[in-house]
Amino acid sequence: MRLIRLAVVSVTALPLVTVAASSGPSPARPVIALSSVLPAVAEAAPDPGVTFRLTRRTVIVASGPAAAVAGRLASALRPATGFPLPVRAEGDEAAIALILEPGHPPEGYRLDIGADRVELRATGPAGLFAGTQTLRQLLPPEIEAATPQRGRWSLPGGRIVDRPRYAYRGAMLDLARHFHEPAEVRRYIDQLSRFKVNHLHLHLSDDQGWRIRIDSWPRLTEVGGAPGTGVGGEGGGFLTKDDYRQLVRYAADRFITIVPEIDMPGHVNAAQVAYPSLTCDGKAPRPRTDMRVGYSSLCVSADITYRFAEDVIRELAEMTPGPYLHIGGDEAMSTPHGSYLTFQKRVLPMVRAHGKIPYGWHEIAQSPAAGDAVIQFWGRERSSPSVTTAVAAGARVVLSPANRSYLDMKYDMLTPGGLDWAGYIEVRTAYSWDPGRLLSGVPEEAVLGVEAPLWSETLRDSDDIEFLAFPRLVAIAELGWSPRSAHDWPFFRARLGAYGPRWVRAGVRFHRSPQIRWS
Ligand code: TNX
């Protein structure tokens, strides 16, 4: 393999398309520039004279834990190329080699593309997986097609060295306001994994419905998951424990950790309809399928409340291998402040007792029991005294500012669907902020990462999910992954515009933002 220049090139300085020197009768054709990746890579050093050609003789070389990642790469590249792309434990033919070796940062990787061989190196399979997502974007957009395409499958020569800025890069999907079937969640997981998102937070209960089976409280889903429990009286449904476990596994195969959320002590009307004993007066409230918030509360002085909370937390923890368990805590406007603190003092330790790190919306920061919890900031302010205090006591923060990262906000006045209480969020607004400097009093080191929530009040199906998520999800994914030095709107805008044809070929619906020049 030709030696690759080791110079580190500022990724923003590079053109997106270069013209490869032709090596045969076919005319010079543009290949994708090495730095034209979403989210932006940390370092790219192109070797302009070099391209690697994927052919029907290419093999993928990988062994041990790398073989599963190689298998996924092969499955991703076979449909459009029509090539066999066998995965072999060794081989020196023209190959893409996936190599596990010590010394790379968590989830980081190095990708060397030479004329005869591609070498992808990482310390663990998660880094290799991230590298394969980069590799896919360096092939022409036709690679996204589900059936064989005529194509010259060239990769641009050079070296990429890449690693995430933050450990937590998340998306949230609300299954409570409208239930989304496991197949729709899997489809979203596939798309998230393309942009190196590594957590999917599932909002599983709310005033309208309850979407995860809890064996010790069966009416939660029998009643709260019944038909007609979506906003507007539409839809309904819930995840069985098997559905949930399968989603956890499906996500883990794509290096995504599922974060389950049960929202308490507010947002509990569906639980109280199923179990009136969870109200202070023991009377069942009426089922609600409107979009109001803040009217329901668990009965903080009743023992049954804590039996309920403990049972739910225990059963959720048992089927969740990931470290986090989200207990909501937002918009508890019907829980008096003192009661809210009493509730959190008892419930936050339950999460730890069941082996999980407590995670909640930023209201939980008011509780001295928050300790080392993860706090999800969803406000629009640039400072939050309670979050600052919690951070000083050891909490970490995931940033989901509603006016930047809420994927359910409309793009503009004319957007079909979506809400607008936090304003319109066009792509540039979603992109133009720095997670390390959003909140005064929350230094970069206290930021665990970013998350883009998608609430489902106005959503029905995958088309609706995708239209609001794309392209803004990619902006949030880049803020979570790429180094601060790569943050540059014209560069992001150009890479995003070039990505459009991939979504078209993959059948992913997206908003053709007028801020972007789509290829
Ligand atoms: C606020 S943000 C909520 C949700 C709604 C959402 C709609 C937050 C923690 N709670 O209950 O679904 O707004 O945008």
Side-chain angles (χ1 to χ4, degrees):
M1 146 169 173
R2 265 185 60 173
L3 258 176
I4 283 164
R5 265 194 306 125
L6 278 179
V8 170
V9 179
S10 152
V11 286
T12 57
L14 300 165
L16 292 186
V17 172
T18 57
V19 176
S22 72
S23 55
S26 53
R29 280 176 113 259
V31 282
I32 309 223
L34 198 61
S35 60
S36 186
V37 178
L38 288 165
V41 300
E43 297 166 22
D47 195 350
V50 170
T51 56
F52 175 88
R53 280 279 297 277
L54 197 70
T55 70
R56 61 182 56 261
R57 286 182 305 281
T58 304
V59 301
I60 303 184
V61 178
S63 58
V69 179
R72 247 173 240 302
L73 175 65
S75 316
L77 303 182
R78 280 178 196 133
T81 61
F83 299 157
L85 301 170
V87 177
R88 303 225 177 104
E90 47 202 56
D92 14 79
E93 311 95 310
I96 301 176
L98 272 53
I99 302 158
L100 288 170
E101 62 179 30
H104 301 275
E107 298 180 88
Y109 64 89
R110 193 177 98 198
L111 178 63
D112 288 299
I113 301 171
D116 313 314
R117 200 172 155 84
V118 174
E119 291 184 343
L120 173 59
R121 300 181 147 78
T123 297
L128 289 181
F129 184 78
T132 60
Q133 301 315 317
T134 295
L135 191 151
R136 292 172 72 179
Q137 288 189 35
L138 295 175
L139 287 162
E142 290 77 21
I143 197 67
E144 299 294 333
T147 53
Q149 307 290 304
R150 281 171 53 99
R152 240 174 90 106
W153 306 107
S154 300
L155 288 165
R159 167 174 289 182
I160 287 174
V161 184
D162 202 11
R163 70 196 82 86
R165 177 175 177 189
Y166 296 110
Y168 187 107
R169 304 167 311 274
M172 188 208 82
L173 187 59
D174 173 9
L175 301 197
R177 273 53 174 273
H178 277 100
F179 182 64
H180 304 288
E181 297 291 341
E184 295 169 314
V185 180
R186 288 196 299 272
R187 188 178 159 95
Y188 198 39
I189 288 172
D190 286 341
Q191 293 156 8
L192 296 173
S193 70
R194 304 298 301 271
F195 304 105
K196 304 184 174 89
V197 169
N198 66 352
H199 288 81
L200 175 61
H201 165 185
L202 296 176
H203 183 77
L204 293 167
S205 71
D206 215 298
D207 289 317
Q208 297 82 354
W210 187 285
R211 310 296 180 200
I212 180 78
R213 167 77 185 187
I214 300 295
D215 292 335
S216 53
W217 297 72
R219 286 175 55 79
L220 290 171
T221 44
E222 285 163 15
V223 176
T229 51
V231 165
E234 290 191 38
F238 63 91
L239 300 175
T240 65
K241 286 193 164 176
D242 274 349
D243 289 337
Y244 180 81
R245 289 197 184 97
Q246 282 165 20
L247 280 179
V248 165
R249 208 171 314 128
Y250 189 88
D253 285 344
R254 287 148 187 83
F255 299 89
I256 291 180
T257 301
I258 297 287
V259 179
E261 177 191 350
I262 292 300
D263 206 346
M264 305 182 278
H267 292 275
V268 293
N269 192 69
Q272 294 175 322
V273 171
Y275 289 101
S277 53
L278 293 174
T279 62
C280 278
D281 63 7
K283 291 205 192 97
R286 65 184 169 91
R288 295 278 295 257
T289 59
D290 58 279
M291 304 203 304
R292 299 251 323 275
V293 296
Y295 55 83
S296 64
S297 175
L298 290 172
C299 186
V300 171
S301 58
D303 280 345
I304 190 172
T305 294
Y306 303 97
R307 286 206 299 281
F308 166 78
E310 173 114 47
D311 286 340
V312 170
I313 288 168
R314 187 189 66 249
E315 290 195 34
L316 264 189
E318 274 166 10
M319 54 181 164
T320 301
Y324 307 114
L325 201 150
H326 201 302
I327 52 167
D330 59 314
E331 299 175 321
M333 282 98 90
S334 303
T335 316
H337 182 65
S339 303
Y340 185 85
L341 297 183
T342 304
F343 179 83
Q344 295 300 359
K345 194 173 173 189
R346 288 187 67 174
V347 171
L348 283 162
M350 285 179 191
V351 178
R352 294 189 185 95
H354 289 285
K356 299 297 170 191
I357 300 171
Y359 187 1
W361 298 105
H362 68 243
E363 287 91 330
I364 71 161
Q366 298 160 24
S367 168
D372 61 355
V374 176
I375 289 166
Q376 184 166 18
F377 178 77
W378 63 275
R380 287 171 274 176
E381 312 80 40
R382 299 297 304 273
S383 71
S384 163
S386 60
V387 173
T388 303
T389 307
V391 161
R396 287 167 302 162
V397 180
V398 167
L399 294 164
S400 300
N403 54 344
R404 302 283 188 179
S405 72
Y406 266 37
L407 300 179
D408 61 316
M409 292 302 118
K410 290 175 181 287
Y411 292 97
D412 59 31
M413 210 167 65
L414 299 174
T415 303
L419 305 175
D420 60 8
W421 64 264
Y424 300 132
I425 307 181
E426 249 300 351
V427 185
R428 188 168 188 169
T429 304
Y431 183 72
S432 303
W433 59 287
D434 180 353
R437 296 179 182 193
L438 182 79
L439 285 179
S440 67
V442 177
E444 173 96 24
E445 312 77 70
V447 176
L448 184 61
V450 294
E451 183 173 292
L454 180 49
W455 300 97
S456 287
E457 283 91 337
T458 68
L459 308 184
R460 298 291 182 277
D461 54 21
S462 284
D463 267 4
D464 298 340
I465 293 174
E466 289 163 13
F467 181 73
L468 288 173
F470 301 111
R472 289 178 294 190
L473 181 278
V474 187
I476 306 304
E478 175 146 324
L479 294 177
W481 176 277
S482 305
R484 201 154 77 84
S485 57
H487 191 259
D488 180 85
W489 167 250
F491 182 48
F492 177 72
R493 181 174 177 262
R495 283 175 290 126
L496 194 56
Y499 198 93
R502 292 177 194 269
W503 279 323
V504 171
R505 288 199 167 76
V508 173
R509 193 172 167 223
F510 66 102
H511 166 60
R512 288 189 166 270
S513 164
Q515 295 182 332
I516 307 298
R517 204 173 307 129
W518 298 99
S519 306

